[in-house]
Amino acid sequence: MKKSFSFWFLVWLIVALATPMVAGAPAVYAQEPGGEPGADISIQNEAFELEVIRLVNQERISRGLHPLRRNSSLTNAARAHNRDMIDNDFFDHTGSDGSTPAERACDHGYAPYGWGACYVGENIAGGHSTPASVINSWMNSPGHRDNILNTNYREIGVGHTTGGAWGNYWTMDLGAQPKVLPVFINNDAEGTSSRQVTITLTKEDVSSWGSIGDITAVQISENPFFDGATWKPWAKTIPFTLSPGYGNRTVYVRFTDSSIQVASLDQIILSQSVPSLSLSTNSLSFLAEVGSGQATPAIAKFMINNDGGDVLHWKASDNAAWLVLGSTGGDAPDSVNVWVDNSSGVLNSLGKKTATITVTATNSDAVNTPQTISVVLNVAEEIHSNHVPIILR
């Protein structure tokens, strides 16, 4: 008898019940591949796989959980299981050779804990044509949602493969490896425009058997040798300031349980503009009548600006004894008063005097630095002022 459309529609959207495959007691680790010989683990729409991971991390972060780091062994195990289900026309967590998700992960290079087995959970689904659809289905299924939000997991691999009876096959493998503690800059963001970032840390919540124990302290540095880095207590999140400049930044974290140490890293692109020095003028002039003891203007002024990002630190100097700078250093934006000092009698002799003010940004990554301002002092016998009458009509 021909099935109704609604029946096939429900079948099409079916999602397998989640069965977390975790080892709670020592088990024998399969040293030989657990099956699926010749399974195709080539990339099947990697963009979809990455989007699923992004959506999973979005769900976790929104609940105050740490993100998951993508792992190639879990990814390959997930893709291979899809291929196995398509080629052998079945839909189940148990492989055609009888393998479990944990065994398949181990067979693809995922590291087992001290009891000999990998710590892995798995979600599978069929028929969903988009990442949003499959995530929505899993999040509305208690077992699958529990897997996605499990705080013990630190890594993830997703496989999406087209073909077979369901058209689209999805496998998500989640897990944790001993002595692997991922860290995340700004919750695994690709880039930032601020040097002030937040480092999210993970810890060993599965077992210390073959792994690290309770974390007693961490070091954080952009130096892989942690030169000058101090030990501080472990915390779920720790603020950190990236080095100034533009481009890729790598942050290293070292964990210790007072016995062994484990290191991890994450990268982010810093797009903050570097400091860029600019001045309001490149010339100043003074005029004085010989013997008057006073130059005009009495005080001149110029502005120091930062046309880039971050904070620009500056210093200024001049090369004339008769010129005085009201300030010789500070942070931009800033203003500097300049005046003529007649203590040396510079205004008692006729002629043109010149000087140079040099302004330098002291930031190591600043650009358009140094810059100069030409200063001219003209001392004349007489200064005549012309007054133009104003006629109101």
Side-chain angles (χ1 to χ4, degrees):
M1 178 174 149
K2 191 171 184 180
K3 300 288 193 300
S4 68
F5 172 81
S6 59
F7 172 86
W8 287 115
F9 181 76
L10 290 172
V11 172
W12 183 257
L13 294 179
I14 190 171
V15 179
L17 290 176
T19 55
M21 306 300 292
V22 296
V28 177
Y29 171 49
Q31 297 292 337
E32 298 298 325
E36 304 166 9
D40 180 12
I41 57 173
S42 62
I43 294 175
Q44 295 281 350
N45 200 340
E46 186 174 25
F48 270 21
E49 297 170 353
L50 292 175
E51 177 63 6
V52 167
I53 295 174
R54 187 190 72 82
L55 293 173
V56 165
N57 283 338
Q58 181 176 287
E59 295 287 351
R60 291 177 63 91
I61 292 168
S62 69
R63 292 166 173 81
L65 308 178
H66 63 76
L68 301 176
R69 172 74 70 226
R70 191 186 191 206
N71 176 272
S72 59
S73 295
L74 294 180
T75 299
N76 290 337
R79 290 172 177 170
H81 188 55
N82 284 345
R83 190 76 263 163
D84 183 34
M85 289 190 291
I86 291 173
D87 291 346
N88 294 287
D89 194 24
F90 72 97
F91 190 73
D92 199 277
H93 291 287
T94 303
S96 62
D97 61 338
S99 62
T100 66
E103 290 169 343
R104 291 191 294 271
C106 279
D107 292 339
H108 281 88
Y110 207 58
Y113 273 85
W115 59 76
C118 287
Y119 187 89
V120 173
E122 183 175 87
N123 287 351
I124 60 175
H128 298 277
S129 60
T130 66
S133 174
V134 72
I135 287 295
N136 181 66
S137 179
W138 279 335
M139 289 301 296
N140 282 286
S141 168
H144 296 91
R145 183 175 60 251
D146 289 347
N147 258 357
I148 290 173
L149 303 180
N150 190 320
T151 58
N152 287 350
Y153 297 138
R154 302 189 292 269
E155 297 178 298
I156 185 173
V158 175
H160 169 251
T161 310
T162 56
W166 300 102
N168 290 273
Y169 285 74
W170 305 83
T171 295
M172 172 192 294
D173 286 331
L174 310 104
Q177 297 182 92
K179 299 181 182 179
V180 178
L181 303 177
V183 298
F184 305 88
I185 306 174
N186 285 359
N187 281 323
D188 211 25
E190 291 186 6
T192 178
S193 60
S194 172
R195 290 174 56 202
Q196 310 305 317
V197 296
T198 300
I199 312 298
T200 298
L201 307 181
T202 57
K203 57 188 176 71
E204 181 56 83
D205 289 322
V206 177
S207 174
S208 61
W209 193 351
S211 186
I212 193 170
D214 293 335
I215 307 300
T216 56
V218 298
Q219 287 178 310
I220 303 178
S221 175
E222 287 185 84
N223 184 308
F225 301 104
F226 297 91
D227 294 342
T230 59
W231 289 99
K232 60 187 65 179
W234 182 96
K236 185 177 180 180
T237 59
I238 296 179
F240 185 77
T241 302
L242 300 172
S243 59
Y246 183 94
N248 191 66
R249 294 289 180 273
T250 303
V251 176
Y252 302 88
V253 178
R254 181 155 57 188
F255 302 81
T256 184
D257 63 358
S258 299
S259 176
I260 63 174
Q261 295 181 357
V262 170
S264 190
L265 64 86
D266 194 19
Q267 296 181 320
I268 197 168
I269 298 173
L270 177 60
S271 59
Q272 182 185 40
S273 299
V274 297
S276 177
L277 176 66
S278 70
L279 303 179
S280 60
T281 184
N282 60 7
S283 65
L284 295 173
S285 61
F286 296 90
L287 181 62
E289 190 173 286
V290 66
S292 67
Q294 179 67 52
T296 302
I299 297 178
K301 179 185 292 188
F302 67 91
M303 294 293 300
I304 301 173
N305 297 305
N306 177 14
D307 291 341
D310 207 353
V311 177
L312 184 143
H313 310 292
W314 63 271
K315 65 179 181 178
S317 62
D318 67 80
N319 61 353
W322 51 266
L323 194 65
V324 180
L325 302 181
S327 178
T328 57
D331 296 339
D334 210 345
S335 62
V336 179
N337 291 332
V338 184
W339 62 90
V340 175
D341 178 13
N342 192 36
S343 60
S344 63
V346 67
L347 301 181
N348 296 331
S349 60
L350 295 171
K352 177 182 178 180
K353 286 82 173 173
T354 61
T356 300
I357 299 172
T358 301
V359 181
T360 304
T362 59
N363 306 62
S364 61
D365 59 338
V367 296
N368 298 322
T369 183
Q371 294 191 36
T372 59
I373 298 175
S374 299
V375 183
V376 176
L377 169 62
N378 282 299
V379 181
E381 288 188 3
E382 290 183 280
I383 299 175
H384 300 281
S385 299
N386 294 325
H387 299 279
V388 179
I390 298 175
I391 301 175
L392 299 177
R393 296 181 181 179

